[in-house]
Structure formats: C-alpha cells, structure tokens
Amino acid sequence: MIGYRFMGKAHSNAWRQVGHFFDLPVDLRLRTVCGRSAEVEDAAKKLGWERAVKDWREVVEDPEIDVVDICTPNDSHCEIALAAMAAGKAVVCEKPLALDAAQARKMADAAQTAGVPNLLCHNYRGIPAVALAKQMVEEGLLGETIYHFRARYAQDWLADPQFPFVWRLDAAVAGSGANGDINAHIIDLMRHLVGGVEEVSATERTFVKTRAKVGGGEAEVTVDDAVAWIGKLAGGGLANGEATRFAHGRKNQISWEINGSHGSLFFDFEDMNRLHFYDAGDPANRRGFRDILVTEREHPYGNAWWPPGHITGYEHTFANLFSEFVSVLAGGRGSFPTFEDGWENQKVLDAIRRSAQTRSWEKV
Ligand code: SOE
C-alpha cells in the first residue's frame, strides 16, 4: 500500500477485516506499506504491515505483491497506477482517479491493456443501505421513471479560516477542491443508483483565498471550497448536488434522495444503517416513509458482520467494497467501481468545473 495517513489507515484496517470477516478463499497478507517520511516504520507496526519502504517503485517491483493500493495525493495516482498495472499488479486507487478526464482515460486504457482487476475506492458504495437502495431501484420499486436525484455532501473542516494550507487546496496536486474530493462521491453514487448526467450547469466558490502554511508564509488557495450544480439525467430526470467543506456542524454528512414514479428513497450518512423508503402503492391511509434498519442477514453484507441491529460504521464501507474486489481476485464475482467509472465520473467533474467558469450549460 502506498500512503499511510487517514485513507491509508482506513485501507489497512479494511484489508485486515476482509481477511477476518469474509469467507473468501484467499490468504491476505499485508506485505509492504510505503511512505516518504521516517514515520512509515512506525505506521507499518501500528497498521500491521510486514515491511515499510520509502520508494513506491519497490512496491511495484516486488514479485511477491499481487495488489497495489494507492492512497497518495491525487497528482501521483496516474504515474503509480500505470507502473503497477504494467508490472501486472491488480490496482486499487483512492478517488478522484485522476487530475482530469484525459488522465483518467489514460489510466482506464492502461487497465484494459494490462487486463488487471482495478478498483476505484468510492467506499460509500459499500454502505449496506446504499447497496440495498441499488437492489430496490433495480427491482423497479421506485417505478419505471426516475424524476429526481438530489444530494448533498457537507463537511466543515475548512470553515475555520485559520485552518492551514494543505495539499487538498492546491490545484496542481489535487486537481480541484470540494468538487473532486467529495462531490466525486455524489457523482459516483448518482451514476451507480440512477445513471449519469448528460449536461450540467454549475457554480463554485472559494471563500478563503489564502491560508497560512505550516512552515510559515501564506499560500493561495487554487481550488473551489464549495460547488453547486444541476444536471439532466440521461434517463430524463433532473439531478442536483452540492458539496462544501464550509458547513459548520456538518462533519461528514452525505445525504441523497431519489424520487421515482412509484416511490422515493432517502439516505443520510449521519444515520448510515438506515434506508428510508416511501411506496406510493401503499394504502392511502398508511402511506409514509418506512425506516429500514439495514442490518439483517438478508441485507447486503449482513452475513459478514454482527447480529441484526448491531450496527456497522465508516470503516466497514471500505471492507465491504474490498470484499467485492477480493472475491474477483479469487475467481468469483464482485461489483465495484473501476477505473472506467473513474473516467465517467471525471468527465462530469470536469464539465461542472467548465460550467462554473463559462457560466453556461456544459455537455459531459
Ligand atoms: C476529506 O474531505 C475526505 O477525507 C475525503 O477525501 C474522503 O473521500 C471523504 O470520504 C471523507 O473526507
């Protein structure tokens, strides 16, 4: 695994959980963790890796390694993924896949040429309630027509103007701000649940233009702090989304709602074990949103974890998603976002960016 901070921690934990909780015919070993600073040795011990190295090329060149997991800042995803796939490794990559659609296309093409399994880590697809929503939409429980998809991803870690300058605020390293970092999850969920958008109209804001650097001095914030967009779903419906890191009190709130011709679904990550379903076919005097606690054995991933009602959390979203990938590595079936999805998502993110700049509708 390359990178060991927040996301690397989540990934290390998830790989271990896949080994412990899922009944898959593989022997998962956490072979090597890679990071540029001296702390990587310590991280290896804490996170349970056998070895620590400082140069990612050592990971890619190791014949004992089958899967390379990339948890680095966005500007290095492409170079590392291309090298890993050329060496025949299966690859996992944090989102957003790339800095722009052209780079994402290069990565998706390389994955096809190498013929290696590839996973783009949109972990929120691994929420049992989201997986259940997917089943319900596919079963037609919302009706044949989807009218609306609306979503919001709100955080507040940048609302304090004293928060220092970090790589996520530098367009050359991150590609974009709230758009690629968290709106990317909304776009992926939308495409997963109800399909893509053909055209978008968007606006972005950067509220705090410069921030203090940790070592001293100031740096210019070159990405969006918040983005809002509307879009036309390929299936004929309307979509709208909002992503911000300036919503005081909202630490990591993702909520979405789908309205179809026969019913609606609503989800809120702050109550992530529940899915809310309204069936317009219920008798008129008993209609209302049902509150489904998605922890039964019959629910997605229900067999891997605790007895019903014993809820799961953020960490399990990664393990659930990785279990799908490992199942494919072991010759079975699994469903997960790939680099091809990364390219489709990135086209939407780029169109949103362009629309905010041109102040007009942009085709995806
Ligand atoms: C920071 O905004 C971040 O860590 C994102 O990069 C993740 O994708 C999101 O799930 C949580 O917040």
Side-chain angles (χ1 to χ4, degrees), residues 8 74 95 172 195 211 232 247 256 280 298 301 307:
N74 309 343
K95 42 48 59 183
R211 289 187 184 256
K232 298 175 192 167
W256 53 256
E298 292 73 16
Y301 310 111

Side-chain angles (χ1 to χ4, degrees), residues 36 162 181 207 225 244 321 328 331:
R36 284 171 297 184
Q162 305 309 320
D181 186 31
F207 301 118
D225 284 330
T244 177
L321 190 65
V328 166

Side-chain angles (χ1 to χ4, degrees), residues 6-7 94-96 121-124 153 155 157 167-168 180-182 185 245 251-252 254 269 314 318:
F6 172 32
M7 276 305 144
E94 256 304 325
K95 42 48 59 183
C121 190
H122 278 296
N123 59 298
Y124 299 111
Y153 197 146
Q155 300 181 334
W157 58 277
W167 69 263
R168 289 184 191 282
D181 186 31
I182 53 178
H185 284 302
R245 304 189 280 202
K251 304 300 165 184
N252 197 49
I254 309 167
F269 188 65
Y314 176 68
F318 291 88

Side-chain angles (χ1 to χ4, degrees), residues 18 27 32 55 83 88 153 161 173 183 230 234 264 269 306 314 317 319 361:
V18 172
D27 176 23
T32 304
D55 184 346
Y153 197 146
V173 183
N183 191 38
I230 53 174
S264 297
F269 188 65
W306 322 119
Y314 176 68
T317 65
W361 281 86

